[in-house]
Amino acid sequence: MNGVETAGHEFIYGEALNWMERFARKGRRFDLVILDPPTFSRDKAGRVFTVENGFAGLVRAAEGVLTEGGGLFCSTNQRTLPGEGFRRLIAQGLGKPAGWRMEERRMPPDFTGEQYLKACWVDRR
Protein backbone atom coordinates (compact mmCIF):
# COMPACT_ATOMS: atom_id res chain seq x y z
CA MET A 1 0.00 0.00 0.00
CA ASN A 2 2.90 2.39 0.61
CA GLY A 3 4.60 1.67 -2.70
CA VAL A 4 7.68 -0.05 -1.27
CA GLU A 5 9.25 -2.39 -3.83
CA THR A 6 9.05 -5.81 -2.19
CA ALA A 7 11.50 -7.63 -4.48
CA GLY A 8 14.84 -8.05 -2.79
CA HIS A 9 13.40 -7.41 0.68
CA GLU A 10 12.50 -9.81 3.43
CA PHE A 11 9.58 -8.97 5.69
CA ILE A 12 9.51 -10.77 9.01
CA TYR A 13 7.19 -10.73 11.98
CA GLY A 14 7.92 -11.61 15.57
CA GLU A 15 9.93 -10.70 18.62
CA ALA A 16 12.99 -8.65 17.63
CA LEU A 17 15.21 -10.27 20.26
CA ASN A 18 14.36 -13.76 19.01
CA TRP A 19 15.03 -12.79 15.40
CA MET A 20 18.37 -11.17 16.20
CA GLU A 21 19.47 -14.29 18.12
CA ARG A 22 18.39 -16.40 15.13
CA PHE A 23 20.27 -14.14 12.68
CA ALA A 24 23.41 -14.28 14.85
CA ARG A 25 23.36 -18.10 14.86
CA LYS A 26 23.02 -18.11 11.07
CA GLY A 27 25.84 -15.57 10.64
CA ARG A 28 23.60 -12.90 9.11
CA ARG A 29 24.98 -9.39 9.47
CA PHE A 30 23.54 -5.93 8.93
CA ASP A 31 25.02 -2.47 8.37
CA LEU A 32 22.33 -0.82 10.49
CA VAL A 33 20.01 -1.99 13.23
CA ILE A 34 17.25 0.33 14.44
CA LEU A 35 16.12 -0.24 18.03
CA ASP A 36 12.90 1.61 18.83
CA PRO A 37 10.88 -0.79 20.98
CA PRO A 38 7.61 -0.02 22.70
CA THR A 39 7.93 1.33 26.23
CA PHE A 40 6.08 -1.75 27.51
CA SER A 41 5.02 -5.00 25.87
CA ARG A 42 4.19 -8.60 26.64
CA ASP A 43 5.23 -11.52 24.42
CA LYS A 44 3.18 -14.63 23.57
CA ALA A 45 4.55 -16.41 26.65
CA GLY A 46 3.45 -13.52 28.87
CA ARG A 47 6.97 -12.20 29.54
CA VAL A 48 7.02 -8.45 30.07
CA PHE A 49 9.40 -6.11 28.28
CA THR A 50 10.12 -2.63 29.59
CA VAL A 51 12.74 -0.26 28.23
CA GLU A 52 14.43 -0.10 31.64
CA ASN A 53 14.72 -3.89 31.97
CA GLY A 54 15.11 -4.99 28.37
CA PHE A 55 16.87 -2.35 26.28
CA ALA A 56 20.43 -3.40 27.23
CA GLY A 57 19.61 -6.94 26.08
CA LEU A 58 18.32 -5.65 22.75
CA VAL A 59 21.53 -3.66 22.26
CA ARG A 60 23.60 -6.76 23.10
CA ALA A 61 21.67 -8.84 20.56
CA ALA A 62 21.90 -6.11 17.91
CA GLU A 63 25.66 -5.84 18.37
CA GLY A 64 25.84 -9.55 17.55
CA VAL A 65 24.36 -9.02 14.08
CA LEU A 66 26.26 -5.89 13.04
CA THR A 67 28.87 -5.83 10.31
CA GLU A 68 32.33 -4.58 11.30
CA GLY A 69 31.45 -1.04 10.22
CA GLY A 70 27.80 -1.27 11.22
CA GLY A 71 25.92 0.98 13.59
CA LEU A 72 22.85 1.23 15.76
CA PHE A 73 20.12 3.80 15.98
CA CYS A 74 18.63 3.61 19.47
CA SER A 75 15.44 5.42 20.40
CA THR A 76 12.81 5.48 23.13
CA ASN A 77 9.91 7.66 24.14
CA GLN A 78 9.96 6.45 27.76
CA ARG A 79 9.14 9.68 29.58
CA THR A 80 10.37 8.60 33.03
CA LEU A 81 13.81 7.55 31.78
CA PRO A 82 16.33 10.42 31.76
CA GLY A 83 18.73 10.78 28.83
CA GLU A 84 21.71 9.73 30.97
CA GLY A 85 19.83 6.59 32.04
CA PHE A 86 19.12 5.74 28.41
CA ARG A 87 22.78 6.17 27.44
CA ARG A 88 23.73 3.98 30.41
CA LEU A 89 21.42 1.19 29.15
CA ILE A 90 23.03 1.41 25.69
CA ALA A 91 26.53 1.26 27.22
CA GLN A 92 25.50 -1.71 29.36
CA GLY A 93 24.35 -3.58 26.28
CA LEU A 94 27.58 -2.88 24.40
CA GLY A 95 29.65 -4.60 27.05
CA LYS A 96 32.80 -2.66 26.16
CA PRO A 97 31.47 0.84 25.44
CA ALA A 98 35.01 2.24 25.14
CA GLY A 99 35.18 0.96 21.55
CA TRP A 100 31.95 2.71 20.59
CA ARG A 101 30.88 6.29 19.94
CA MET A 102 27.45 7.52 21.01
CA GLU A 103 26.02 10.62 19.40
CA GLU A 104 22.90 11.83 21.14
CA ARG A 105 20.10 13.26 19.01
CA ARG A 106 17.71 15.95 20.19
CA MET A 107 14.00 16.09 19.53
CA PRO A 108 13.06 17.73 16.24
CA PRO A 109 12.26 21.46 16.57
CA ASP A 110 8.63 20.91 15.58
CA PHE A 111 8.14 18.80 18.74
CA THR A 112 7.34 21.35 21.40
CA GLY A 113 6.73 20.83 25.08
CA GLU A 114 8.16 18.01 27.13
CA GLN A 115 11.43 16.60 25.76
CA TYR A 116 10.47 12.93 26.12
CA LEU A 117 12.16 11.45 23.02
CA LYS A 118 15.68 10.09 23.46
CA ALA A 119 17.78 8.92 20.52
CA CYS A 120 21.43 8.00 19.89
CA TRP A 121 23.49 6.98 16.87
CA VAL A 122 26.00 4.36 17.99
CA ASP A 123 28.97 3.19 15.91
CA ARG A 124 32.47 1.86 16.35
CA ARG A 125 35.27 4.38 16.72
Side-chain angles (χ1 to χ4, degrees):
M1 293 180 79
N2 62 13
V4 172
E5 176 58 49
T6 58
H9 297 279
E10 182 179 1
F11 294 88
I12 56 173
Y13 170 81
E15 297 293 322
L17 185 59
N18 295 341
W19 276 101
M20 285 189 287
E21 290 169 349
R22 199 179 294 178
F23 290 150
R25 282 192 307 271
K26 292 182 177 189
R28 290 195 57 190
R29 299 292 179 258
F30 302 89
D31 294 325
L32 173 66
V33 175
I34 298 170
L35 298 176
D36 185 24
T39 302
F40 172 90
S41 68
R42 189 179 306 272
D43 68 12
K44 290 180 182 179
R47 291 181 298 255
V48 172
F49 172 90
T50 64
V51 169
E52 296 91 344
N53 295 325
F55 203 86
L58 280 177
V59 170
R60 192 171 305 111
E63 181 185 9
V65 298
L66 284 177
T67 59
E68 185 60 35
L72 302 173
F73 181 77
C74 301
S75 178
T76 185
N77 63 0
Q78 172 60 300
R79 292 177 188 275
T80 60
L81 181 65
E84 180 56 39
F86 184 56
R87 289 187 302 279
R88 195 171 22 256
L89 289 174
I90 295 168
Q92 237 179 348
L94 294 172
K96 295 182 181 179
W100 294 85
R101 178 177 58 99
M102 273 192 261
E103 186 179 318
E104 188 174 359
R105 294 295 186 179
R106 301 279 180 213
M107 284 185 51
D110 56 334
F111 280 68
T112 58
E114 183 184 353
Q115 298 291 300
Y116 62 90
L117 184 64
K118 293 137 204 88
C120 282
W121 281 105
V122 183
D123 59 12
R124 290 186 174 93
R125 294 181 182 183

